[in-house]
Amino acid sequence: MPDFSWIWLIAALGMGVASSIIQFTMNWAQKEVSPTRATVIYAGEPVWAGIFGRIAGERLPGLALLGAALIVLGVIASEMQPPKSMRKSDGEKA
C-alpha cells in the first residue's frame, strides 16, 4: 500500500464531485433535448476527448483515428431518418 497523501485524497474527492455534477447535468439535459440531439451530443464526446488528448501531447496512429471517425459516423448515421419519399405510407403493408 502506498503512503497516505492528502493531495491524492483531495484529487479523488474532487473527481468524485465533478463526476456527480456531470452526471446530474446530463440527466437534466436529457429531459430537455430530443433523443436524436442527445445522441449527436454523445457522439461528439469522443471527438472532444481526442482533441484535448492531442493538445495534451497524446498521439494516435492513423488507423486509430480512422476507426474513431467510423464509430462517430456510425452513431450519427444510426440516428438519421430516411427521407419522407422513401418511407412507406401508413396504409401500405410490408
Side-chain angles (χ1 to χ4, degrees):
M1 282 292 279
D3 292 334
F4 177 80
S5 170
W6 281 104
I7 292 174
W8 287 111
L9 177 65
I10 291 169
L13 291 173
M15 286 190 305
V17 169
S19 295
S20 297
I21 291 170
I22 290 168
Q23 197 63 41
F24 283 120
T25 303
M26 286 174 40
N27 289 339
W28 168 80
Q30 282 182 332
K31 293 182 218 172
E32 303 296 322
V33 299
S34 70
T36 302
R37 184 169 287 184
T39 301
V40 172
I41 291 169
Y42 285 138
E45 183 180 359
V47 173
W48 287 109
I51 290 169
F52 282 108
R54 180 71 179 190
I55 291 170
E58 201 172 300
R59 301 291 185 256
L60 290 174
L63 196 56
L65 293 173
L66 176 64
L70 290 174
I71 290 171
V72 171
L73 287 172
V75 169
I76 292 172
S78 71
E79 288 300 317
M80 296 177 75
Q81 295 183 2
K84 290 183 180 183
S85 62
M86 294 188 70
R87 293 184 203 158
K88 293 185 177 203
S89 65
D90 294 340
E92 285 185 44
K93 297 198 180 206

